[in-house]
Amino acid sequence: PRLNMEPYTKEGLKRSEAMQAAKDKGEAVPDLQPLHPSSYYDYELSGILVHTGTADSGHYYSFIREREPKVPGMPRQWYQFNDTLVEQFNTEDIPKQCFGGTEPITQWDPALQKQVTRIHAKVYNAYMLFYDRVHPEHITHAPNPPITTNAAAGLVPRNIFNVVWEENMKFLVDKNVFDTDYFQFLWGIVTIEGPAPMDIASPGMAPPPSPSRTSPLRTSDTSSSSSSSHEDTAMRSIELGTRFVIETLAHAKEKGAMREYIGHLKTQYSQHLDACRWLLELVVQDNTWVRQMLLHCTIQETRELFEGLLIHVIGCLAAVERGYYMEEDPIDTSQNMDTSAIEGSPALAAGGKQKATHQGVETEVPPTGRPRSLVVRFMDMYVGMLRELHVHWRHFGQYFLVLRDFALMGPQERELLLHRRLPTQLVDFFLGEESPNAKNTQPQKKTRMGDKFASPNLTHMVETLAVLSRGCNTRVGGETTSAGAIRPALQMSVPDQEMMYHIPFYIKLIKESTNLKATGEILAYQSHEDSDFSQLIVHNFNDQINSLDVDKFKPFLEVYAAVLNVDDSLAEERVNTALSGLLKVIDDNLKFKSATFYCLHFLLDATRTNAVVRRWMMSSMDDWVESYVMRMSAGDSREVGMQLVMALLPEIPPMHAPAEVQQAAAGQPLSAETVANLELVNTFLLERLNTAKQYARPQDPESTKVDVDGYHTNWKLVQYFKLLRWLVRTPAQKAAFAPYQLPYYNLYVHIDSLRIELDENKQELIVYWHIMLENTPEYLLFITQPDRVWNRLFDFFASVKPLERFRNYNNISLPLFYHILQMCGEVNPPFQAALITHRNVDWAMRYLYYETNDYPPVAEALFNIVARGRDDPTQRQHRIRNLLLERLPLNPFNVLRAAQFFVVDASDCNVFLEMNGMQHLVKFLERQINPEPHVDLDKHLRGVLMALELVNKLAMVLVDASHAPADHPLASSMHELRRRWDGKGATIGVLVQLLESFPGSPQIATLCMSSILSFASLEIECLETALSHLEEYFQERDRLSNQPSRHFPPDGMVMDEGRPTTEAQYYRFVQELAGLVMRIEAPSVQQAAWAVQLALMSAYEAIFCPRAHGDGLVPGLRAMWSHPVIGHQMKEDPRLGQWVSTLLTTGGAALEGTNLEFAAAVLSHAVSQSLITPSGQETIMNHYIETLTMLLTMLVPLEQADQSDESVAAYERQVQQLAQIVRLCSVVCTVSEFRGYLSLPPFGGVMQALTGLVDSFASLPPTSRIATLPSVVALPDLVQAFRNQNPGQ
């Protein structure tokens, strides 16, 4: 962006004013031109400074344009500079990044429980813009003459020169002092020599003389030192290390070595008592180090490390000084000396009198000396720093940590702090102007601690008070037995006690959420056996909860729990007072949902963890259960109320506990107390059934709350019914339901009559009711008594919509309700009769069973109801007439299941056919022949099977009806239906296509074949259609002419091992169809041709399928051979010769007796009619010669065949094959055209081998197992018969 600045220059403003003045005077406007061309004044944007944040705080970053492009000739790029981030910036984003305004921000909304987009003001904005002149002037200056460094320095004013010089020198010093190499050097110095052993006096020994006020390490007079040279070196090492840590390392940017330094110093101080005294003397005289490290230092870790070092040093000295904490050195007042300068002593007023302040009132006390203990003098100085602590509120947390750790050292240390009235001082410090002592002191202006961004860290201050409080007896007197006491117990002064029992102090602590844990410990300890203080606490807490907003009273609930958990003789009284008041507070503030929710959660946690609270809540159920479980308008609060009831029975896992927890508890017996309480709670809730009615309808504004789709979302009885369900643990709960059956039934009637969609109250009512009624016939009889209005159950209100919420709701509620109806019908036949004929059952079957498949569990429950009417023909036919057959493509399983179930006899079949049921089934099956790619094949196959089963059932019923006598009631109507059945041919065609499309399914094959045969037996039209379709199928597969060795089955037809195959079934089916043609009184030539063609093709293919038992088809062909019309057609069919030649050369166990004779007759006919050519005849004989030669060659020698059972069995099989070929060859040779082949040399060789084999059999000994084999016995007779049949060959 460019700006023309000419109007804002001095000359531009002058020109504008002159032109305006001329206009005002009515004179001609002068033509004043700018002094320079317009481009001279053009400026372009080169930088943007952006501020993000608020007016109080934030962050700056910049967008800057290149001065010169990186690549010459390319435009200058913009970059974002944001701390360490430098990246290229697109100027098109300038409006978005720099113009402010608003922007949508997606945030998680805890109330709505989802991500919500809201409009917020942007927190980043352009703060300053930088422009460069587009065409800057190039001004040429004369070069400056050279000047020396000294001369240049002389041009700078002296005062400025001195300031710069001092800053530079300080920088150089700091650069060297804070150098890491310097740190390593000092570490080497400090650790160069191990420390000497330390001789620490025991507490009972006489104290060492008071150390000099001057540090011993600062003197240069080594001859006056009483320590050895080694000890002096150790002292200097400790001082050097301590000074380096405090004065240098603590100020360095890199403080990584500080922890190691402090650890080393602790070790050194532990072994050098004089060093400990040196450090405390030093900070007592000048507390700069303490201020610097504990109050000024901004790094918490550094403050904590120094605090640890300080407490360690104090601990080392405390071990030898505890015995004289309370002793003082006398002060010589005869000398004119400034006693106020004595370190560690209170300031003395003029005249030798010491002034002390007690609760704001100054009192004079006799002058005292200086404490003998250096630890005491240090603590006096340290506690005195409280007066100025307000100023350092941001970093004073570790100051109080020193006090806490000192108090934890032992009872002497706590006694010292109590003697110094530390509790009063700390409470007074915290309360400030609100302190009880404030009215007795001169008002002082103090820095206010905390701001809107941060609060003072008073955690350790409260911990210090907790240690001191728990280390003293309470005000009730005597040694306390509280579990929180610290032994031995000391006695706190009355003023300190008054401050520690000052309730406003704790109210303020809790309001500011200052260490609630320690606050609770103090209050719990001081409440122990103190009725008055306990009552004061609970009343004040209840008042605070009642008056404060939820965010401000939450801390009170946390501390409240500690007070209620006090285990003393007042526990029952305390809990009663506290919870009675709290329940009233909750009831008075029910309209504040969030406040109520958190108070209930507090009660829930207390009930779960505190047995006294649990007993009180159990005894006070009248005061809260109905309100918290049913009356409350907020669902989340009622949910907590439900959990609160469950908490009364801690042995029983809550409803939402993990499954493994539920299972583990299920096997555990309940205690007697839990069983009694279980019955008490169960009875209590059941007694509220009449009361529950008033919460069934949405009444108050909150209960009429709806979601974005307009459906109710707030159901007040859900938690009530869930609790009743959860309480069912033993048969006793079912037995306890008996007196409440009528109120429960009436409640159901009331809720159902409201007719509210997605009524979750009703859903939960049904779930519990189902539990009560299941396996309880007496309850079922009760609700089906004649005086009950059964229609109230039959007219159950249900709403069906294509929405997910309706599907979920109905799939839970309706199956259970329909099962209730089913159970009622099972115990009450009149109820069942009325139920299955009711209009609402028909409605449900239509919209929940047939119209949709979204409700599988509902459909199952409904079907179980209507299935009870299957034995009644009227009911069956009613169900058949109500079948939604048009829904068959969309919901096949439900429709087909119902049709299969209710079509039982011919009457049912008649009704189904009247409804055009067969046409619907055929259309459905036709669609299944070529399924879509994405279809689930298992479901697809299941649908096909169900439809075929129904078709087959209908076909068999029709066949049975066709055999019925003429006077049968259905005979005429069935005949009329068959006559008017327009889809006969289509039905057969679809069945044949299915037979072809599912070759791998024996079930489908069986059903299709059975149905085709049934229909074909009814109508000649059906038979012709079947024959026609099967002919087309075989013609496509037929390869008889060019593939004489083609084997069946087609791909996929043979099933896996161990399962039945369809080959034999299929060929028998074709033969049966051919048999139907034979039953026709005068079959046409076409019918005969179809029958012969199918029979021969199937018989031929069956030869190659061992498991199809193709030889078993021979009797069928023999029957056709004898038929006057079909036999003539068969004898002319060229396939006949192919079949018989293949059959005789392939062999078969069925070729015996009449079958063998028939095969010989067919062979003779085929040869005579040239159906088998000479080359074909030669092929047959060559086949026999080759087969016999192969078998004889493979036959093992007799001596080897008789060696084992396995070898004998194998020999038997080989001889059997040999005998079968000899038998077939004998049959073939009965035809004269084949005898000529017997004189050929190959056949003569075969016969010689056969004769030799037979002779060898004759020479076998009688004991040989081979000699007794049936095949061995039969073979000689076959060979001899063959010789006798052909004596001249």
Side-chain angles (χ1 to χ4, degrees), residues 861-936:
L862 269 173
F863 188 82
N864 291 336
I865 289 177
V866 299
R868 309 288 296 181
R870 187 172 188 258
D871 295 336
D872 184 351
T874 304
Q875 274 301 309
R876 289 202 307 269
Q877 292 167 28
H878 173 74
R879 292 292 157 220
I880 295 171
R881 289 189 176 91
N882 284 278
L883 286 170
L884 290 186
L885 292 169
E886 62 272 15
R887 301 296 296 175
L888 188 55
L890 300 177
N891 195 4
F893 305 121
N894 286 357
V895 177
L896 291 171
R897 181 189 184 190
Q900 282 183 341
F901 189 79
F902 290 110
V903 176
V904 176
D905 57 20
S907 300
D908 306 328
C909 180
N910 189 29
V911 175
F912 185 81
L913 293 175
E914 285 179 353
M915 303 294 297
N916 294 320
M918 186 67 78
Q919 287 87 330
H920 283 288
L921 286 174
V922 171
K923 289 180 181 178
F924 170 76
L925 287 170
E926 191 173 14
R927 294 190 188 97
Q928 312 310 307
I929 293 174
N930 296 306
E932 297 292 333
H934 63 275
V935 169
D936 186 328

Side-chain angles (χ1 to χ4, degrees), residues 745-758:
Y745 176 84
N746 292 335
L747 180 58
Y748 157 75
V749 172
H750 173 73
I751 292 177
D752 187 62
S753 65
L754 298 176
R755 304 182 75 79
I756 302 175
E757 292 182 323
L758 305 175

Side-chain angles (χ1 to χ4, degrees), residues 636-943:
D636 54 355
S637 293
R638 292 196 305 276
E639 195 72 20
V640 179
M642 178 183 72
Q643 296 178 40
L644 190 53
V645 175
M646 291 190 283
L648 299 178
L649 303 167
E651 286 186 29
I652 303 176
M655 190 178 303
H656 304 298
E660 55 270 20
V661 176
Q662 300 274 11
Q663 293 171 0
Q668 301 297 324
L670 300 176
S671 65
E673 180 185 4
T674 298
V675 172
N677 289 338
L678 174 61
E679 294 306 314
L680 182 64
V681 175
N682 187 57
T683 303
F684 179 88
L685 291 176
L686 288 173
E687 288 174 350
R688 267 65 192 167
L689 282 170
N690 291 325
T691 306
K693 187 179 295 186
Q694 62 183 298
Y695 304 111
R697 178 192 292 275
Q699 298 168 348
D700 54 79
E702 179 64 27
S703 292
T704 56
K705 182 180 178 181
V706 296
D707 61 12
V708 292
D709 296 323
Y711 297 105
H712 294 287
T713 60
N714 197 19
W715 307 97
K716 290 191 169 185
L717 295 180
V718 168
Q719 289 76 25
Y720 173 69
F721 289 120
K722 283 184 176 180
L723 278 173
L724 285 172
R725 170 158 50 101
W726 175 78
L727 288 167
V728 181
R729 297 285 159 177
T730 66
Q733 284 75 59
K734 275 197 173 186
F737 183 71
Y740 304 98
Q741 292 183 79
L742 184 58
Y744 202 92
Y745 176 84
N746 292 335
L747 180 58
Y748 157 75
V749 172
H750 173 73
I751 292 177
D752 187 62
S753 65
L754 298 176
R755 304 182 75 79
I756 302 175
E757 292 182 323
L758 305 175
D759 190 337
E760 294 184 21
N761 289 337
K762 184 166 68 173
Q763 183 179 76
E764 292 298 331
L765 178 147
I766 291 170
V767 174
Y768 176 69
W769 206 10
H770 182 269
I771 294 173
M772 290 293 102
L773 296 176
E774 194 169 27
N775 301 320
T776 319
E778 60 272 23
Y779 292 171
L780 294 168
L781 287 171
F782 179 85
I783 64 173
T784 58
Q785 290 176 3
D787 58 342
R788 303 278 177 267
V789 182
W790 290 349
N791 279 344
R792 293 308 310 164
L793 291 172
F794 299 160
D795 290 335
F796 179 84
F797 175 72
S799 181
V800 180
K801 292 183 180 179
L803 297 174
E804 184 69 21
R805 61 175 62 194
F806 279 84
R807 286 193 287 270
N808 295 337
Y809 179 88
N810 289 330
N811 275 326
I812 295 174
S813 303
L814 294 181
L816 295 175
F817 181 74
Y818 289 141
H819 189 228
I820 290 174
L821 296 181
Q822 178 189 341
M823 292 188 294
C824 289
E826 290 170 355
V827 300
N828 191 328
F831 181 93
Q832 177 175 288
L835 170 65
I836 60 180
T837 58
H838 196 270
R839 64 183 185 280
N840 274 358
V841 174
D842 291 341
W843 176 91
M845 286 293 291
R846 177 182 181 90
Y847 293 105
L848 297 172
Y849 188 87
Y850 295 124
E851 288 279 5
T852 179
N853 52 15
D854 290 338
Y855 302 102
V858 181
E860 184 66 26
L862 269 173
F863 188 82
N864 291 336
I865 289 177
V866 299
R868 309 288 296 181
R870 187 172 188 258
D871 295 336
D872 184 351
T874 304
Q875 274 301 309
R876 289 202 307 269
Q877 292 167 28
H878 173 74
R879 292 292 157 220
I880 295 171
R881 289 189 176 91
N882 284 278
L883 286 170
L884 290 186
L885 292 169
E886 62 272 15
R887 301 296 296 175
L888 188 55
L890 300 177
N891 195 4
F893 305 121
N894 286 357
V895 177
L896 291 171
R897 181 189 184 190
Q900 282 183 341
F901 189 79
F902 290 110
V903 176
V904 176
D905 57 20
S907 300
D908 306 328
C909 180
N910 189 29
V911 175
F912 185 81
L913 293 175
E914 285 179 353
M915 303 294 297
N916 294 320
M918 186 67 78
Q919 287 87 330
H920 283 288
L921 286 174
V922 171
K923 289 180 181 178
F924 170 76
L925 287 170
E926 191 173 14
R927 294 190 188 97
Q928 312 310 307
I929 293 174
N930 296 306
E932 297 292 333
H934 63 275
V935 169
D936 186 328
L937 292 180
D938 289 337
K939 289 185 177 180
H940 174 72
L941 186 61
R942 178 183 163 206

Side-chain angles (χ1 to χ4, degrees), residues 236 272 534 745 987 1021 1104 1238:
R236 293 184 181 277
H272 209 298
S534 297
Y745 176 84
T987 302
E1021 177 187 348
F1104 300 100
L1238 298 179

Side-chain angles (χ1 to χ4, degrees), residues 1-5 41-47 65-66 76 78 130-136:
R2 290 194 178 190
L3 288 179
N4 189 291
M5 298 297 294
Y41 304 99
D42 284 344
Y43 287 78
E44 61 183 351
L45 187 67
S46 61
R65 189 183 186 191
E66 290 178 318
R76 291 183 290 163
W78 283 78
F130 297 85
Y131 284 84
D132 284 340
R133 179 177 279 173
V134 177
H135 303 290

Side-chain angles (χ1 to χ4, degrees), residues 532-607:
D532 293 341
F533 190 63
S534 297
Q535 299 292 324
L536 191 61
I537 290 174
V538 298
H539 285 308
N540 274 274
F541 276 26
N542 287 337
D543 289 343
Q544 293 296 322
I545 295 170
N546 187 47
S547 60
L548 295 175
D549 292 336
V550 60
D551 291 334
K552 294 184 178 179
F553 75 61
K554 284 182 187 178
F556 284 90
L557 296 177
E558 185 174 337
V559 179
Y560 217 154
V563 175
L564 294 181
N565 286 333
V566 175
D567 184 15
D568 61 358
S569 62
L570 302 173
E572 301 279 355
E573 173 191 334
R574 186 182 300 109
V575 167
N576 178 61
T577 304
L579 297 190
S580 298
L582 184 58
L583 292 188
K584 184 178 185 308
V585 170
I586 295 174
D587 288 340
D588 292 343
N589 294 275
L590 289 178
K591 61 182 178 180
F592 302 108
K593 294 187 297 181
S594 183
T596 301
F597 177 80
Y598 282 104
C599 286
L600 290 181
H601 251 298
F602 165 73
L603 286 175
L604 175 60
D605 293 337
T607 304

